[in-house]
Amino acid sequence: MIPELLKTSLAQRIAAAITNREAAVDVMKELQRHYGWLTDEALEEASQLLGLSPLQIEELATFYEMIYRRPVGRHVVHVCDSISCWAVGGETLLGALSQLLEIRPGSTTADDSVTLLPCSCLGNCGEAPCMMVDEKQYGRMTPESASQLITALRTGTSQKPIK
Ligand code: FES
């Protein structure tokens, strides 16, 4: 169950939106931040807050790839596999991270620290190849810089995002 303060804040955002559906992704993302992923309980809460059926919320949740309907690691690493990134090494980047983390794309490391996911265009094609770690974007990545970034993430040292 979400805290009353968060519930009030979400209700205010919904009230400020033109339609409840317009606020749905924002609400789901906040609930995801609270729970770590969009649990069944979170989905039910989103349904009640937005006045949409659980099925409608489920449909929206499965459409947006940044909404997770399954547990994820403490950090989620998205590697763009759309055309601009793919053309300049996105696939190699994903392969290098998969090897570094010893998991296949779509999986989570055994220590629950990182989930590795391919994703659609991050809207930053000019900086291809791109990746996103949690909610921060990184561009012009190489297998080496990406590996350094993920190693720093797992050891608790930070790197500067581009956005
Ligand atoms: S194709 Fe990768 S950011 Fe657009």
Side-chain angles (χ1 to χ4, degrees):
M1 194 165 183
I2 56 173
E4 214 44 52
L5 198 62
L6 177 57
K7 198 171 182 177
T8 305
S9 156
L10 292 176
Q12 286 169 348
R13 289 195 217 180
I14 295 165
I18 296 169
T19 65
N20 286 12
R21 200 177 171 86
E22 177 193 304
V25 173
D26 196 23
V27 168
M28 288 191 290
K29 280 191 142 185
E30 281 299 334
L31 291 170
Q32 181 167 274
R33 273 188 205 107
H34 178 73
Y35 288 103
W37 57 288
L38 195 73
T39 61
D40 289 345
E41 184 183 359
L43 189 137
E44 188 58 44
E45 285 171 331
S47 163
Q48 286 172 14
L49 282 162
L50 291 158
L52 299 171
S53 72
L55 181 59
Q56 287 174 304
I57 301 294
E58 185 78 60
E59 284 171 353
L60 289 166
T62 49
F63 182 78
Y64 290 98
E65 59 188 354
M66 302 295 168
I67 301 291
Y68 316 124
R69 283 291 284 134
R70 288 189 293 175
V72 290
R74 290 188 295 284
H75 301 285
V76 181
V77 176
H78 290 272
V79 178
C80 177
D81 70 352
S82 288
I83 187 66
S84 298
C85 289
W86 180 84
V88 292
E91 198 174 13
T92 307
L93 196 58
L94 185 62
L97 292 181
S98 175
Q99 198 171 359
L100 174 77
L101 295 166
E102 300 178 318
I103 55 171
R104 286 164 45 165
S107 311
T108 300
T109 53
D111 64 358
D112 271 340
S113 64
V114 178
T115 297
L116 179 65
L117 300 170
C119 68
S120 303
C121 180
L122 291 166
N124 193 34
C125 312
E127 299 281 321
C130 296
M131 57 189 279
M132 190 163 85
V133 178
D134 300 325
E135 297 186 5
K136 295 176 185 169
Q137 281 199 28
Y138 299 82
R140 299 190 196 282
M141 299 305 285
T142 63
E144 293 74 27
S145 63
S147 297
Q148 280 173 11
L149 176 66
I150 299 309
T151 301
L153 184 77
R154 295 181 94 184
T155 55
T157 31
S158 65
Q159 301 262 313
K160 197 168 184 259
I162 55 167
K163 279 189 178 175

